[in-house]
Amino acid sequence: MIFNIIREHGIPYFLGKSIPGLIGIISVPVFVRLYGFEQYGQIILFLTAANMVTVFSCGWLGQSWIRFQPTKHDLGEIKRASLMAIGIGLLFGTFSMLFMYLTDFSFNGNFYFSLIVYHVVIVAMIIFYIVHAGLQAVFQSKAVMKISIFLSSFSFVFPVSMYFLNESISAFLLAYGIAYFMAAFIGIGILLRSLPDQYTTQQSTYGWLKYGFPLAIWMTLQASIPYIQRMLIKQFLGFEYVGKYSALSELIIRAFSLLVFPLTMALQPILMKLWNQNKKLDAIKLWRKSLRILLWVFCFIGLLFLGVNGWIVDFTLSILGVTLKQPLFVISLLSLSGFIWQSNLLLHKPIELQKETIKMVGAMMISIGIIIILNILWLNQFQLVGAAGAASIGAIVYTVMVGMYNRKILQKIGYKKP
């Protein structure tokens, strides 16, 4: 069954991730060369903050759609919930912008223009996220692939083009926001045509919020990890190191998301559907098979890295034009962290399916606390090796805790290993 799912949905998701991933891998060194590490560090901090606000504002809605799969008869409720998400985004976007204003960010001398641009980015991200989740909920994997490719292309071409008109950070963010708007509008038409027409149980914004809010908290905490780490790097080492760390982690995370994210996206709506139909044991069997695939992928990548790690390190440093202390350790630890965090999106599925998401939130809070403490202890002494090491340990702690919770859930539903 799992290979049929991968063939039908995984391949479009892979293409929808691989093409954007390749464009993203190209864009990182291009943006670094254009803006330099210091400005690139500030750009990434703005974008990670916007992403954090976005997932808090609409993550509950996207996850609820995937779980409950609304129809055309829920369009009125969909509009109300979407406007509510945008309102939350604007409110918390203002708070996060004020925080950055108080922590020595550059606004090119015009805070109010930067605030408007920042809100444009957040609203655009929210609309895109909602459309993306809606298409995923109605099993439109090819449409997800299409809008993902458009987004990656626009978010590379528009900022590069804008650079030759205006080299400011605000101009970059404006171009980036326009890219999200363009991709989202392409997806809206497809989504409206794809919503099923049959009647289902009446759905409501309150019901979606009740189910999805704990997931939104978890997603916000996860999105806060890169933001917190970069803020700590800024405080201890400066914006230049933020740029270096961001460039390396962006390259590595994009590379690993090519392998893990398509499987996660293809399986999520299938697992939800099986669970909703009370086929819990079938859902768990499918989930376990997917974890075995990830384990084999991890072993293969690990062996490959051991064989050619010198070439990988030299190539990565050369395309970014960056010099680091102990680059092998930084890249190895970032790779380990990136793969584990991507895999955790699938690992915690039993907890999510069982609606015990408060356990996910608790595990994530403990993981973030460890990451913060280790960064404070290690950044001055080990610099970026310390940051990468803290991220890896935080990911491992989350994995261990989720694994313990999963075991209890499997026992509760009566699953026994074959």
Side-chain angles (χ1 to χ4, degrees):
M1 181 181 180
I2 190 168
F3 292 106
N4 291 332
I5 294 171
I6 292 172
R7 184 174 61 252
E8 182 178 356
H9 297 290
I11 292 175
Y13 283 134
F14 174 75
L15 292 174
K17 199 67 183 176
S18 61
I19 296 173
L22 291 172
I23 295 173
I25 288 170
I26 293 169
S27 70
V28 171
V30 171
F31 292 152
V32 166
R33 301 282 181 172
L34 289 176
Y35 289 92
F37 284 113
E38 188 165 335
Q39 274 201 313
Y40 181 73
Q42 293 196 52
I43 288 169
I44 292 299
L45 268 169
F46 275 112
L47 293 180
T48 53
N51 183 60
M52 187 169 59
V53 172
T54 297
V55 296
F56 177 76
S57 305
C58 67
W60 57 274
L61 180 56
Q63 294 302 308
S64 294
W65 279 15
I66 293 171
R67 179 64 189 262
F68 300 113
Q69 298 167 349
T71 68
K72 288 182 180 178
H73 301 283
D74 301 304
L75 274 175
E77 207 64 37
I78 288 172
K79 291 176 183 177
R80 280 190 288 273
S82 299
L83 289 173
M84 179 179 173
I86 291 172
I88 295 171
L90 292 173
L91 177 63
F92 282 89
T94 302
F95 291 150
S96 67
M97 192 67 163
L98 289 172
F99 175 77
M100 286 186 282
Y101 177 76
L102 296 173
T103 51
D104 301 324
F105 275 72
S106 171
F107 296 100
N108 306 115
N110 193 331
F111 171 79
Y112 296 105
F113 177 71
S114 298
L115 179 64
I116 293 169
V117 170
Y118 184 61
H119 280 154
V120 167
V121 173
I122 289 172
V123 172
M125 283 184 165
I126 289 172
I127 295 173
F128 179 85
Y129 184 95
I130 290 172
V131 172
H132 187 281
L135 290 171
Q136 192 180 354
V138 294
F139 304 98
Q140 290 294 321
S141 52
K142 292 181 180 178
V144 172
M145 174 190 71
K146 183 183 294 185
I147 66 170
S148 298
I149 291 172
F150 275 119
L151 174 62
S152 62
S153 302
F154 294 155
S155 60
F156 174 63
V157 173
F158 290 177
V160 170
S161 302
M162 182 67 79
Y163 175 83
F164 296 102
L165 299 174
N166 190 316
E167 299 179 14
S168 70
I169 293 172
S170 296
F172 179 100
L173 294 175
L174 179 61
Y176 207 79
I178 293 171
Y180 268 89
F181 270 125
M182 295 284 288
F185 287 146
I186 292 170
I188 287 173
I190 302 173
L191 176 59
L192 292 176
R193 293 193 301 269
S194 303
L195 285 172
D197 199 31
Q198 72 266 23
Y199 283 96
T200 58
T201 304
Q202 183 66 37
Q203 303 195 45
S204 67
T205 300
Y206 173 76
W208 293 335
L209 188 61
K210 183 179 179 181
Y211 167 77
F213 186 70
L215 289 174
I217 295 296
W218 181 90
M219 294 169 68
T220 304
L221 290 172
Q222 187 198 36
S224 74
I225 292 175
Y227 180 74
I228 290 170
Q229 278 211 287
R230 285 156 178 76
M231 285 295 292
L232 289 170
I233 293 170
K234 179 187 84 71
Q235 291 300 117
F236 283 90
L237 305 175
F239 274 119
E240 183 178 349
Y241 280 88
V242 175
K244 291 179 179 180
Y245 185 84
S246 299
L248 283 170
S249 60
E250 284 288 305
L251 281 178
I252 292 166
I253 289 171
R254 288 176 190 273
F256 278 118
S257 65
L258 299 182
L259 300 172
V260 181
F261 204 60
L263 179 63
T264 304
M265 290 186 67
L267 285 173
Q268 184 170 353
I270 305 295
L271 291 172
M272 295 294 185
K273 188 174 183 179
L274 288 172
W275 200 272
N276 291 342
Q277 294 172 348
N278 205 29
K279 298 178 180 178
K280 296 182 179 181
L281 295 181
D282 290 337
I284 293 300
K285 289 176 184 177
L286 180 61
W287 170 75
R288 284 179 61 85
K289 288 179 181 178
S290 66
L291 290 182
R292 282 198 289 270
I293 291 175
L294 284 182
L295 181 60
W296 281 109
V297 169
F298 178 77
C299 293
F300 173 76
I301 293 174
L303 290 173
L304 182 65
F305 186 78
L306 287 174
V308 295
N309 59 67
W311 181 86
I312 292 174
V313 169
D314 291 342
F315 177 74
T316 303
L317 297 180
S318 65
I319 63 171
L320 292 177
V322 62
T323 56
L324 292 174
K325 292 181 179 179
Q326 298 179 307
L328 177 60
F329 283 110
V330 176
I331 292 173
S332 299
L333 290 169
L334 279 175
S335 299
L336 178 64
S337 169
F339 186 87
I340 293 176
W341 278 121
Q342 289 286 327
S343 300
N344 280 335
L345 296 174
L346 189 59
L347 182 65
H348 66 218
K349 280 301 168 191
I351 304 174
E352 183 180 342
L353 291 166
Q354 191 69 6
K355 298 183 181 179
E356 297 184 18
T357 46
I358 192 67
K359 293 178 179 177
M360 291 164 50
V361 172
M364 183 61 75
M365 291 179 70
I366 292 171
S367 177
I368 290 174
I370 290 171
I371 289 172
I372 291 172
I373 292 169
L374 293 180
N375 270 285
I376 292 172
L377 293 174
W378 290 349
L379 274 173
N380 274 334
Q381 184 176 359
F382 302 111
Q383 296 185 352
L384 297 187
V385 175
S392 298
I393 292 174
I396 292 169
V397 168
Y398 183 82
T399 299
V400 171
M401 295 188 67
V402 165
M404 293 167 61
Y405 291 144
N406 281 341
R407 187 175 180 181
K408 293 179 181 179
I409 289 174
L410 297 188
Q411 290 173 348
K412 187 183 296 185
I413 66 174
Y415 177 81
K416 295 181 180 179
K417 291 182 180 180

